[in-house]
Amino acid sequence: MDAEKFKNIETVLGIESSCDETAASVWADGEILSNVIASQAIHEQFGGVVPELASRAHHKTIWKTVAQALDESGKQTEDLDAIAVAQGPGLMGSLLVGLSFAKGLAISYNKPLIGVNHIDAHLYANFIEHEVVYPFTGLIVSGGHTRLVHVKQPFDHEVLGDTRDDAAGEAFDKIGKILGLPYPAGPEMDKLSKSGDPSFHDFPRSMIRKGLDFSFSGLKTSVLYYTQEKGEEFVARNLNDICASVSAAITDVLIAKLKRSVKKRKTEHLMLAGGVSANSMLREKASALAGEIGVNLMIPSMQYCTDNAAMIAITGALKAREGEFGDLNLKPFARVQNIASGATKKA
Ligand code: KG4
Ligand code: ZN
């Protein structure tokens, strides 16, 4: 951890409520002191996140979650130098709960507020455990986004490639649903893939040689037709092999484009981020790639891959360091186009 980088801001509370996780974390003196996550099991029965239920669950848990994060860190609200909160992208109703709570706390205790872009935060989660370095090339793979960025300096992001349709995590979840797995299917597919044969079936590697954007909806359709043709009994008998073959198709595309991006920008540092960066096949292939082309690879440890507030807290600290504070007019944003950190643009 590069404590120098954060020398002016010592203690930051991070609050995350963009989707179905209510989370709070305290970052102080260069380390994460607490990282509390309340997951919402209620959505499982619907096979996906129900926005209204998510907002209500955030509302119910946010106070407890923040109190627990402060308690576990040994800090009081008075000790905080700033309050960082996820501003978007995400579900409007869910974001509003976190944002309103953060504003209330900021007013009551007279603390500065920092709005954090959730996608940026996934990326900067790497700096919780790794040295802060620029420039780097990052691949953000989550339930809502698949995005390749080149980051020259803090919050100066050049978008190299983006999601055209289904994001990587969404592809895992939707394909898993076709295969009869519970939501979210990504972690389960990962587990089953470990004892499967990735060359069992050759699923399409969409747009693997074309540009740096990503498209996974064709793969989903291909799996749907494949399972309809082979029948339920065949799918159940060969589930591990099918999961491994799907994982191979998704990760091959991600790695091919990551490799081209690194070569294009000639970076020495490479990052994975977001929920899908917890995927074991992707982690293995990324580390093989890093060895092959001789670059330094950063991947967050598991707890910082999927949604968490530690990533919001550290990104808040980094933003504070750049003088990027928000105010009580901070508004939530649902879509990635409204990026808060300004400099993001298409290559
Ligand atoms: O970053 P994240 O927690 O939330 C969003 O910002 O979207 O990502 C959640 C996504 C889900 O689609 C989930 O299935 C996927 O990450 N995921 C995985 C794994 N763990 C989580 N996908 C594949 N393998 C995993 N081990
Ligand atoms: Zn996320």
Side-chain angles (χ1 to χ4, degrees):
M1 168 52 57
D2 184 0
E4 259 305 286
K5 192 77 202 155
F6 308 95
K7 62 178 186 279
N8 297 332
I9 290 284
E10 280 160 13
T11 310
V12 178
L13 169 69
I15 298 177
E16 156 65 37
S17 70
S18 58
C19 191
D20 58 342
E21 251 97 36
T22 319
S25 167
V26 175
W27 177 95
D29 303 323
E31 58 179 314
I32 295 295
L33 299 183
S34 63
N35 183 29
V36 180
I37 304 176
S39 296
Q40 304 176 355
I42 190 160
H43 307 290
E44 260 168 48
Q45 58 189 297
F46 302 103
V49 178
V50 183
E52 176 62 20
L53 295 180
S55 317
R56 288 175 193 222
H58 284 306
H59 187 252
K60 223 168 158 178
T61 15
I62 194 149
W63 172 248
K64 259 193 327 213
T65 309
V66 171
Q68 189 182 338
L70 283 165
D71 196 39
E72 285 180 14
S73 73
K75 301 281 180 190
Q76 312 281 331
T77 316
E78 290 82 357
D79 302 329
L80 299 174
D81 293 322
I83 297 165
V85 59
Q87 199 183 345
L91 301 169
M92 272 315 222
S94 293
L95 289 164
L96 269 170
V97 177
L99 208 53
S100 307
F101 190 90
K103 285 181 185 177
L105 215 53
I107 296 171
S108 316
Y109 288 85
N110 194 26
K111 301 289 179 190
L113 198 58
I114 304 167
V116 170
N117 181 300
H118 179 94
I119 309 289
D120 291 355
H122 270 302
L123 210 52
Y124 292 104
N126 274 290
F127 291 151
I128 295 172
E129 299 155 300
H130 298 102
E131 197 193 334
V132 178
V133 285
Y134 298 96
F136 64 84
T137 298
L139 172 65
I140 305 140
V141 269
S142 70
H145 302 92
T146 313
R147 169 169 277 210
L148 271 166
V149 290
H150 180 66
V151 180
K152 287 166 242 167
Q153 51 197 359
F155 305 101
D156 182 0
H157 299 182
E158 178 190 8
V159 179
L160 303 171
D162 224 336
T163 317
R164 286 267 181 103
D165 40 56
D166 291 350
E170 198 178 355
F172 272 111
D173 294 341
K174 289 182 174 170
I175 291 170
K177 195 172 179 181
I178 294 171
L179 299 174
L181 301 175
Y183 175 86
E188 188 63 20
M189 284 192 67
D190 189 3
K191 211 158 71 190
L192 296 173
S193 297
K194 284 180 187 156
S195 48
D197 173 9
S199 61
F200 181 74
H201 184 79
D202 190 21
F203 287 113
R205 271 75 170 153
S206 311
M207 292 174 52
I208 194 162
R209 269 176 285 275
K210 197 173 152 228
L212 292 173
D213 282 346
F214 300 90
S215 165
F216 291 112
S217 71
L219 172 64
K220 178 184 64 190
T221 312
S222 158
V223 176
L224 180 67
Y225 290 160
Y226 178 76
T227 55
Q228 284 172 347
E229 186 199 317
K230 297 288 185 184
E232 264 178 44
E233 194 270 332
F234 176 91
V235 170
R237 193 160 26 89
N238 298 289
L239 192 57
N240 296 18
D241 294 332
I242 297 170
C243 285
S245 302
V246 169
S247 304
I250 295 175
T251 52
D252 276 356
V253 174
L254 295 174
I255 292 296
K257 301 207 179 207
L258 186 56
K259 183 175 180 177
R260 285 217 300 280
S261 305
V262 173
K263 287 197 164 163
K264 189 172 172 178
R265 286 291 172 268
K266 300 188 175 53
T267 27
E268 287 169 19
H269 305 284
L270 181 59
M271 270 187 190
L272 290 190
V276 182
S277 62
N279 183 268
S280 51
M281 199 183 280
L282 181 62
R283 292 171 88 97
E284 275 164 30
K285 286 183 184 176
S287 111
L289 171 68
E292 177 197 325
I293 59 177
V295 295
N296 166 40
L297 173 68
M298 293 173 249
I299 317 180
S301 61
M302 293 302 198
Q303 59 179 331
Y304 303 130
C305 286
T306 43
D307 286 351
N308 65 85
M311 68 184 196
I312 305 294
I314 193 160
T315 309
L318 281 163
K319 285 192 83 170
R321 184 79 180 114
E322 300 302 314
E324 289 194 36
F325 289 94
D327 58 30
L328 295 175
N329 287 319
L330 275 187
K331 290 183 181 51
F333 56 90
R335 301 177 68 81
V336 76
Q337 279 84 354
N338 304 338
I339 258 171
S341 57
T344 302
K345 59 186 179 296
K346 192 85 182 164

Coordinates of all heavy atoms in Angstrom, one line a residue, residues 126-164:
N126 N -8.1 -2.6 -6.8 CA -6.8 -3.2 -6.9 C -5.8 -2.5 -6.0 O -4.8 -3.2 -5.5 CB -6.3 -3.2 -8.3 CG -6.8 -4.4 -9.1 OD1 -6.4 -5.5 -8.8 ND2 -7.7 -4.2 -10.0
F127 N -6.0 -1.2 -5.7 CA -5.0 -0.5 -4.9 C -5.1 -0.7 -3.4 O -4.4 -0.2 -2.6 CB -5.0 1.0 -5.3 CG -4.6 1.3 -6.6 CD1 -5.1 2.4 -7.3 CD2 -3.6 0.5 -7.3 CE1 -4.6 2.7 -8.6 CE2 -3.2 0.8 -8.6 CZ -3.7 2.0 -9.2
I128 N -6.1 -1.5 -3.0 CA -6.3 -1.9 -1.6 C -5.1 -2.7 -1.2 O -4.5 -2.6 -0.2 CB -7.6 -2.6 -1.3 CG1 -8.8 -1.7 -1.6 CG2 -7.6 -3.2 0.1 CD1 -10.1 -2.4 -1.5
E129 N -4.7 -3.6 -2.2 CA -3.6 -4.6 -1.8 C -2.4 -4.5 -2.7 O -1.4 -5.2 -2.4 CB -4.2 -6.0 -2.0 CG -5.4 -6.3 -1.1 CD -6.3 -7.4 -1.6 OE1 -6.8 -7.2 -2.7 OE2 -6.4 -8.4 -0.9
H130 N -2.4 -3.6 -3.7 CA -1.3 -3.5 -4.6 C -0.8 -2.0 -4.6 O -1.6 -1.1 -4.3 CB -1.6 -3.9 -6.0 CG -2.0 -5.3 -6.2 ND1 -3.4 -5.7 -6.3 CD2 -1.3 -6.4 -6.2 CE1 -3.4 -7.0 -6.4 NE2 -2.2 -7.5 -6.4
E131 N 0.5 -1.9 -4.9 CA 1.1 -0.6 -5.0 C 0.3 0.3 -6.0 O -0.1 -0.2 -7.1 CB 2.5 -0.7 -5.4 CG 3.4 0.5 -5.2 CD 4.7 0.3 -5.9 OE1 5.1 -0.8 -6.2 OE2 5.3 1.4 -6.2
V132 N 0.1 1.6 -5.8 CA -0.5 2.5 -6.7 C 0.4 2.8 -7.8 O 1.5 3.4 -7.6 CB -1.0 3.8 -6.0 CG1 -1.6 4.7 -7.0 CG2 -1.9 3.4 -4.8
V133 N 0.0 2.4 -9.1 CA 0.9 2.7 -10.2 C 0.1 3.2 -11.4 O -1.1 2.8 -11.6 CB 1.7 1.4 -10.7 CG1 2.8 1.1 -9.8 CG2 0.7 0.3 -10.9
Y134 N 0.6 4.1 -12.2 CA 0.0 4.6 -13.4 C 1.1 4.6 -14.5 O 2.3 4.8 -14.1 CB -0.6 6.0 -13.2 CG -1.7 6.1 -12.2 CD1 -1.4 6.4 -10.9 CD2 -3.0 5.7 -12.6 CE1 -2.4 6.5 -10.0 CE2 -4.0 5.8 -11.6 CZ -3.7 6.2 -10.3 OH -4.7 6.2 -9.4
P135 N 0.9 4.4 -15.8 CA -0.4 4.1 -16.3 C -0.7 2.6 -16.2 O 0.3 1.8 -16.0 CB -0.3 4.5 -17.8 CG 1.2 4.3 -18.1 CD 1.9 4.7 -16.8
F136 N -1.9 2.2 -16.4 CA -2.2 0.7 -16.4 C -3.4 0.5 -17.4 O -4.1 1.4 -17.7 CB -2.6 0.2 -15.0 CG -3.8 0.8 -14.3 CD1 -5.1 0.3 -14.6 CD2 -3.7 1.9 -13.4 CE1 -6.2 0.9 -14.0 CE2 -4.8 2.4 -12.8 CZ -6.1 1.9 -13.1
T137 N -3.5 -0.8 -17.8 CA -4.6 -1.2 -18.6 C -5.5 -2.1 -17.8 O -5.0 -3.0 -17.1 CB -4.2 -1.9 -19.9 OG1 -3.4 -1.0 -20.6 CG2 -5.3 -2.4 -20.7
G138 N -6.8 -1.8 -17.8 CA -7.7 -2.6 -16.9 C -8.9 -3.2 -17.7 O -9.4 -2.6 -18.6
L139 N -9.2 -4.4 -17.2 CA -10.4 -5.0 -17.7 C -11.4 -5.1 -16.6 O -11.2 -5.8 -15.6 CB -10.1 -6.4 -18.3 CG -11.3 -7.3 -18.7 CD1 -12.0 -6.7 -19.9 CD2 -10.8 -8.7 -19.0
I140 N -12.6 -4.4 -16.8 CA -13.6 -4.5 -15.7 C -14.7 -5.5 -16.2 O -15.3 -5.2 -17.3 CB -14.2 -3.1 -15.5 CG1 -13.1 -2.1 -15.1 CG2 -15.3 -3.2 -14.4 CD1 -13.3 -0.8 -15.8
V141 N -14.9 -6.5 -15.5 CA -15.9 -7.5 -15.9 C -16.9 -7.8 -14.8 O -16.5 -8.4 -13.8 CB -15.2 -8.9 -16.3 CG1 -14.9 -8.9 -17.8 CG2 -13.9 -9.1 -15.5
S142 N -18.1 -7.2 -14.9 CA -19.0 -7.4 -13.8 C -20.4 -7.8 -14.4 O -20.5 -8.3 -15.5 CB -19.2 -6.0 -13.1 OG -19.9 -5.1 -14.0
G143 N -21.4 -7.8 -13.6 CA -22.7 -8.2 -14.0 C -23.3 -7.2 -15.0 O -24.1 -7.6 -15.9
G144 N -22.9 -6.0 -15.0 CA -23.5 -5.0 -15.9 C -22.5 -4.5 -16.9 O -23.0 -3.8 -17.9
H145 N -21.2 -4.7 -16.8 CA -20.3 -4.1 -17.7 C -19.1 -5.0 -18.1 O -18.7 -5.8 -17.3 CB -19.7 -2.8 -17.1 CG -20.8 -1.8 -16.8 ND1 -21.3 -1.8 -15.6 CD2 -21.4 -0.9 -17.6 CE1 -22.3 -0.9 -15.6 NE2 -22.4 -0.3 -16.8
T146 N -18.7 -4.9 -19.3 CA -17.4 -5.5 -19.8 C -16.7 -4.3 -20.4 O -17.1 -3.8 -21.4 CB -17.6 -6.6 -20.8 OG1 -18.6 -7.4 -20.3 CG2 -16.3 -7.4 -21.0
R147 N -15.6 -3.9 -19.9 CA -15.0 -2.6 -20.3 C -13.5 -2.7 -20.2 O -13.0 -3.1 -19.2 CB -15.6 -1.5 -19.5 CG -14.9 -0.2 -19.6 CD -15.7 0.9 -18.9 NE -16.7 1.4 -19.8 CZ -17.2 2.7 -19.8 NH1 -16.7 3.5 -19.0 NH2 -18.1 3.0 -20.6
L148 N -12.8 -2.3 -21.3 CA -11.4 -2.2 -21.3 C -11.0 -0.7 -21.2 O -11.5 0.1 -22.0 CB -10.8 -2.8 -22.6 CG -10.6 -4.3 -22.6 CD1 -10.4 -4.7 -24.1 CD2 -9.3 -4.6 -21.8
V149 N -10.1 -0.4 -20.3 CA -9.7 1.0 -20.2 C -8.2 1.1 -20.1 O -7.5 0.2 -19.6 CB -10.3 1.7 -18.9 CG1 -11.8 1.9 -19.0 CG2 -10.0 0.9 -17.6
H150 N -7.7 2.3 -20.5 CA -6.3 2.6 -20.3 C -6.3 3.8 -19.4 O -6.9 4.8 -19.7 CB -5.6 2.9 -21.7 CG -4.2 3.3 -21.5 ND1 -3.3 2.3 -21.0 CD2 -3.5 4.4 -21.6 CE1 -2.1 2.9 -20.9 NE2 -2.2 4.2 -21.3
V151 N -5.7 3.7 -18.3 CA -5.7 4.8 -17.3 C -4.3 5.4 -17.2 O -3.4 4.8 -16.7 CB -6.2 4.2 -15.9 CG1 -6.2 5.3 -14.8 CG2 -7.5 3.6 -16.0
K152 N -4.2 6.6 -17.7 CA -2.9 7.3 -17.7 C -2.5 7.9 -16.4 O -1.4 7.8 -16.0 CB -3.0 8.4 -18.8 CG -3.0 7.9 -20.2 CD -3.4 8.9 -21.2 CE -4.7 8.5 -21.9 NZ -5.4 9.5 -22.6
Q153 N -3.5 8.5 -15.7 CA -3.3 9.0 -14.4 C -4.6 8.9 -13.7 O -5.6 8.6 -14.3 CB -2.8 10.5 -14.5 CG -3.6 11.3 -15.4 CD -2.9 12.6 -15.8 OE1 -1.8 12.8 -15.4 NE2 -3.6 13.4 -16.6
P154 N -4.7 9.3 -12.3 CA -5.9 9.0 -11.6 C -7.1 9.6 -12.3 O -7.1 10.8 -12.6 CB -5.7 9.8 -10.3 CG -4.2 9.8 -10.1 CD -3.6 9.9 -11.5
F155 N -8.1 8.8 -12.5 CA -9.4 9.2 -13.1 C -9.4 9.8 -14.5 O -10.3 10.4 -14.9 CB -10.2 10.1 -12.1 CG -10.3 9.5 -10.7 CD1 -9.4 9.9 -9.7 CD2 -11.2 8.5 -10.5 CE1 -9.5 9.2 -8.5 CE2 -11.3 7.9 -9.3 CZ -10.4 8.2 -8.3
D156 N -8.3 9.5 -15.2 CA -8.2 9.9 -16.6 C -8.3 8.6 -17.4 O -7.3 7.9 -17.7 CB -6.9 10.6 -16.8 CG -6.7 11.1 -18.3 OD1 -7.6 10.8 -19.1 OD2 -5.7 11.7 -18.6
H157 N -9.5 8.2 -17.7 CA -9.7 6.9 -18.3 C -10.0 7.0 -19.8 O -10.9 7.7 -20.2 CB -10.9 6.2 -17.7 CG -10.8 6.0 -16.2 ND1 -11.8 5.3 -15.5 CD2 -9.8 6.2 -15.4 CE1 -11.4 5.3 -14.2 NE2 -10.2 5.8 -14.1
E158 N -9.2 6.2 -20.6 CA -9.5 6.1 -22.0 C -10.2 4.8 -22.2 O -9.7 3.7 -21.9 CB -8.2 6.2 -22.8 CG -8.4 6.0 -24.3 CD -7.1 5.8 -25.0 OE1 -6.0 5.7 -24.3 OE2 -7.1 5.8 -26.2
V159 N -11.5 4.8 -22.7 CA -12.2 3.6 -22.9 C -11.8 3.0 -24.2 O -12.0 3.6 -25.3 CB -13.7 3.8 -22.9 CG1 -14.5 2.5 -23.1 CG2 -14.2 4.4 -21.5
L160 N -11.2 1.8 -24.1 CA -10.7 1.1 -25.4 C -11.8 0.2 -26.0 O -11.9 0.0 -27.2 CB -9.5 0.3 -25.0 CG -8.3 1.0 -24.4 CD1 -7.2 0.0 -24.0 CD2 -7.7 2.0 -25.4
G161 N -12.6 -0.4 -25.1 CA -13.6 -1.4 -25.6 C -14.7 -1.5 -24.6 O -14.5 -1.3 -23.4
D162 N -15.9 -1.8 -25.0 CA -17.1 -1.7 -24.2 C -18.1 -2.8 -24.5 O -18.0 -3.4 -25.6 CB -17.7 -0.4 -24.3 CG -18.1 0.2 -23.0 OD1 -18.3 -0.6 -22.0 OD2 -18.2 1.4 -22.9
T163 N -19.0 -3.0 -23.6 CA -20.1 -4.0 -23.8 C -21.0 -3.6 -25.0 O -21.5 -2.4 -25.0 CB -21.0 -4.0 -22.5 OG1 -20.2 -3.9 -21.4 CG2 -21.9 -5.2 -22.5
R164 N -21.3 -4.5 -25.9 CA -22.2 -4.2 -27.0 C -23.6 -4.6 -26.6 O -24.6 -4.1 -27.0 CB -21.8 -4.9 -28.3 CG -20.6 -4.4 -29.0 CD -21.1 -3.4 -30.0 NE -19.9 -2.8 -30.7 CZ -19.5 -3.2 -32.0 NH1 -20.2 -4.2 -32.6 NH2 -18.5 -2.7 -32.5

